[in-house]
C-alpha cells in the first residue's frame, strides 16, 4: 500500500494551474490567485482512495527550467497551449493526466485535437476537460490523478531516448 500520492500541476503559463488548486480547496473560483499556490496536503480520510495526497503547483517559470516538455495542462481556448502538449523524448516515469481547463470559455470540446496525442503516449492515463471557474470536473480531475498513481492501467516505462 502506498504511503502517499503527489500530484504535480504542470503546464503553459496562465492556463489556470493555480486557479484549479484554489478552486479545489475553497470550492469557489478565486478572482485573484498568487503566481504559485503553497503545497497543500489533503488528509487521507477526505480523499476517495484514503491516501494522503500532496498537491504541488508549478508556475510557468519553474517548469521552463525544469522540464520544458512535460506540460500536461492546456486551456481549451488556447491552441498554442494544446500544441505544446508534447511529451516525446521525455523519460516519463509517472502517470500523466491531460487536463483541459477553462471549458467555460468554449462551446466546442478540444477532445478531437487531444485524443490523437493521448493515444500516442501510453503514459497518459486519461484526459479531462474542466473549469476552475464554474467548478466543473475539479474534484474529478484530482481523483483521476490519485487513481492514476494508485492503480495505473498502462505500463510505466522509460522510452528509448530519441534524438
Ligand atoms: P502561471 O502560474 O502564471 O503559469 O499561471 P497559472 O497556470 O497558474 O494560471 P492562473 O491560475 O494564474 O490563471 C490565469 C488566468 O486564467 C487568471 O486570470 C484566471 O482567473 C484565469 N482562469 C483560470 N481558470 C479559469 C477557468 O476555468 N475559466 C476561465 N474563464 N478563466 C480561468
Ligand atoms: Mg500559477
Amino acid at each position: 500500500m502506498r504511503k502517499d500520492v503527489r500530484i504535480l500541476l504542470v503546464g503553459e503559463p496562465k492556463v489556470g494551474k493555480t486557479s484549479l488548486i484554489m478552486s479545489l480547496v475553497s470550492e469557489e473560483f478565486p478572482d485573484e490567485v498568487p503566481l504559485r499556490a503553497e503545497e497543500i496536503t489533503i488528509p487521507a480520510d477526505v480523499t476517495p482512495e484514503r491516501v494522503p495526497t500532496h498537491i504541488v503547483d508549478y508556475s510557468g517559470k519553474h517548469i521552463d527550467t525544469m522540464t520544458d516538455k512535460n506540460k500536461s495542462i492546456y486551456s481549451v481556448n488556447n491552441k498554442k497551449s494544446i500544441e505544446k502538449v508534447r511529451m516525446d523524448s521525455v523519460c516519463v516515469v509517472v502517470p500523466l493526466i491531460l487536463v483541459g481547463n477553462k471549458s467555460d470559455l468554449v462551446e466546442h470540446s478540444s477532445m478531437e485535437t487531444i485524443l490523437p496525442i493521448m493515444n500516442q503516449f501510453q503514459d497518459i492515463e486519461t484526459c479531462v476537460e474542466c473549469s476552475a471557474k464554474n467548478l466543473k470536473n475539479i474534484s474529478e480531475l484530482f481523483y483521476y490523478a490519485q487513481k492514476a498513481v494508485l492503480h495505473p492501467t498502462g505500463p510505466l516505462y522509460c522510452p528509448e531516448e530519441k534524438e
Side-chain angles (χ1 to χ4, degrees):
M1 193 61 190
R2 274 187 82 100
K3 226 171 65 249
D4 49 11
V5 168
R6 276 178 92 75
I7 299 173
L8 241 65
L9 284 88
V10 292
E12 284 290 290
K14 304 298 166 207
V15 292
K17 303 176 293 295
T18 307
S19 301
L20 285 170
I21 297 175
M22 305 301 248
S23 285
L24 174 79
V25 173
S26 61
E27 291 179 339
E28 60 183 9
F29 181 62
D31 286 328
E32 288 191 11
V33 291
L35 199 58
R36 203 176 162 196
E38 295 288 322
E39 175 170 338
I40 60 158
T41 299
I42 304 176
D45 56 340
V46 293
T47 69
E49 297 274 346
R50 302 278 178 260
V51 176
T53 299
H54 312 280
I55 300 179
V56 182
D57 186 10
Y58 272 78
S59 77
K61 234 160 80 197
H62 283 90
I63 197 68
D64 276 340
T65 55
M66 198 182 73
T67 144
D68 191 42
K69 295 201 181 99
N70 197 351
K71 295 177 174 173
S72 53
I73 299 187
Y74 59 96
S75 64
V76 293
N77 65 328
N78 179 343
K79 255 207 153 127
K80 183 172 162 262
S81 75
I82 295 182
E83 284 159 9
K84 284 270 184 165
V85 179
R86 281 181 287 112
M87 273 142 291
D88 44 335
S89 85
V90 170
C91 178
V92 181
V93 289
V94 292
L96 292 171
I97 291 188
L98 284 183
V99 178
N101 187 35
K102 309 195 187 182
S103 63
D104 57 286
L105 293 179
V106 294
E107 279 171 20
H108 297 288
S109 152
S110 64
M111 283 303 158
E112 221 169 87
T113 324
I114 223 68
L115 274 176
I117 301 178
M118 178 170 163
N119 289 333
Q120 214 179 329
F121 299 100
Q122 284 186 305
D123 316 274
I124 302 176
E125 287 281 331
T126 189
C127 51
V128 55
E129 290 189 344
C130 66
S131 167
K133 187 159 191 171
N134 61 23
L135 303 182
K136 191 179 159 216
N137 277 342
I138 300 299
S139 51
E140 284 84 351
L141 91 85
F142 287 98
Y143 173 51
Y144 295 154
Q146 195 184 45
K147 226 174 76 169
V149 174
L150 297 171
H151 317 289
T153 56
L156 298 177
Y157 70 105
C158 186
E160 304 263 306
E161 290 275 315
K162 287 179 204 154
E163 281 307 303

